[in-house]
Amino acid sequence: MLRLSRLTDYAVVALVRLGRAEAVETSPGIAAAIGLPEPTVAKVLKALACSGLVVSQRGAHGGYRLSRPLHAISVAEVILAIDGPIALASCVDGAAGCESQSLCPVAGRWDPVNDAIREALTGITLADMEEAAVPRAFRLPAELSAATAGE
Amino acid sequence: MLRLSRLTDYAVVALVRLGRAEAVETSPGIAAAIGLPEPTVAKVLKALACSGLVVSQRGAHGGYRLSRPLHAISVAEVILAIDGPIALASCVDGAAGCESQSLCPVAGRWDPVNDAIREALTGITLADMEEAAVPRAFRLPAELSAATAGE
DNA sequence: TCAATCAGTACCGTTCTGGTCCACAATTGG
DNA sequence: CCAATTGTGGACCAGAACGGTACTGATTGA
């Protein structure tokens, strides 16, 4: 299913949440706000801080805040922070670990595919996702039908 | 890592192989040709046959052949056949299984991302991958260094 | 100095993937 | 008409990865 780790989903939610916050927010606070277990949220935030997407402030009255506005953060960056490099196959780029390399007729040839995906993901920012993230209950029936028609 | 199942990789290899074959090929034959265990290849071919990408012929002197030329098969179709629907998150489209839907501020909003990926993958055919799949032993050192420099 | 908060690590249970095997159906060829 | 060949479908198992949790330490502010 070309799955993305669930943690990345959490990361997007947390980042959007932070984008709306005015001051720093603690990880328990964010966890409560988005309805997720606190340790998990903390783990996600740590990874995001490690990648520089959020800035952490330690000590009392500390917490997290965005390092950049939402429209300056691409989905690709979030995935990179949580899931690691964006690549579809284990056999990627110059990966020399493939034992059947001599037989494999497409040796590492997922590269164009990976590039295409990277490009697609870089073009979408969190602001785009936030904009489309109006709760369904608040959307007009016309919006809903228009959205489903496009799928 | 935004992983794709290894079976999909196998599927591409097998399909490219079939694209070069002149007659039908048996699954043991393909397995031997691409250096993969036979039962695994058989499983992949079954899935591909189920999706109509290859045509199976039962009985003695049976085997598999492509239903369409390589340039008419997109990577997206192969992924769809092996891995199922192309979607990044478990929380997709109208998926109503999300228990924290009321809290989730991006409820199902991976849709634009999924669409972008689907589009990118649909634009790449197996012929594109085959073309780029010149065995490394046959490539000039200049090509190899140029390829690695791009990473 | 103490409390609040992030940082890092280590661990466990569940789930999924990859891989194997077996019984059955279909087709060909003698 | 029979037997050999080949795909079909399902069940099954081991290993790894993921999600989630707990614990200890470091840092900051009151």
Side-chain angles (χ1 to χ4, degrees):
Chain A
M1 212 236 300
L2 192 60
R3 281 175 33 214
L4 189 65
S5 85
R6 207 181 307 175
L7 293 185
T8 307
D9 199 349
Y10 299 165
V12 171
V13 178
L15 286 170
V16 169
R17 165 83 192 178
L18 276 176
R20 290 175 178 162
E22 297 171 355
V24 297
E25 267 193 297
T26 69
S27 64
I30 297 175
I34 64 184
L36 255 37
E38 188 270 332
T40 301
V41 173
K43 179 188 267 188
V44 169
L45 288 171
K46 268 184 279 191
L48 294 176
C50 198
S51 300
L53 290 180
V54 301
V55 175
S56 66
Q57 170 127 14
R58 297 171 84 152
H61 296 85
Y64 294 96
R65 63 179 173 82
L66 289 185
S67 65
R68 280 174 275 160
L70 286 181
H71 63 77
I73 301 178
S74 73
V75 177
E77 287 177 282
V78 182
I79 296 177
L80 182 66
I82 305 293
D83 273 353
I86 297 178
L88 259 69
S90 45
C91 173
V92 177
D93 296 331
C98 195
E99 71 282 351
S100 58
Q101 207 167 21
S102 52
L103 291 168
C104 178
V106 291
R109 280 304 117 198
W110 284 94
D111 295 1
V113 179
N114 289 326
D115 290 343
I117 290 191
R118 265 178 270 225
E119 190 174 348
L121 292 180
T122 307
I124 302 180
T125 73
L126 292 185
D128 298 330
M129 295 187 72
E130 183 195 25
E131 185 178 358
V134 179
R136 296 189 173 241
F138 295 166
R139 292 163 73 182
L140 299 174
E143 287 181 287
L144 283 173
S145 55
T148 27
E151 291 168 12
Chain B
M1 213 238 299
L2 191 60
R3 280 178 33 216
L4 188 65
S5 87
R6 205 181 308 175
L7 293 186
T8 307
D9 199 348
Y10 300 165
V12 171
V13 178
L15 286 170
V16 169
R17 164 83 192 177
L18 276 177
R20 289 175 178 163
E22 297 173 355
V24 297
E25 267 192 300
T26 68
S27 65
I30 298 176
I34 64 184
L36 254 38
E38 187 270 332
T40 302
V41 173
K43 180 189 264 187
V44 169
L45 287 171
K46 269 185 279 189
L48 293 176
C50 198
S51 300
L53 291 180
V54 301
V55 176
S56 67
Q57 171 127 13
R58 297 171 82 152
H61 295 85
Y64 294 96
R65 61 179 174 81
L66 289 184
S67 65
R68 280 174 275 159
L70 286 180
H71 63 76
I73 302 178
S74 73
V75 177
E77 287 176 281
V78 181
I79 296 177
L80 182 66
I82 304 294
D83 274 351
I86 297 178
L88 260 70
S90 45
C91 173
V92 177
D93 295 330
C98 194
E99 70 282 351
S100 58
Q101 205 165 22
S102 53
L103 291 168
C104 178
V106 290
R109 279 306 116 198
W110 285 94
D111 295 1
V113 179
N114 289 326
D115 291 342
I117 290 190
R118 264 178 271 223
E119 191 173 349
L121 292 180
T122 306
I124 301 180
T125 73
L126 291 186
D128 297 331
M129 295 187 73
E130 184 196 23
E131 186 178 358
V134 179
R136 297 188 173 242
F138 295 167
R139 291 162 74 182
L140 298 175
E143 288 180 287
L144 283 173
S145 56
T148 24
E151 292 169 15

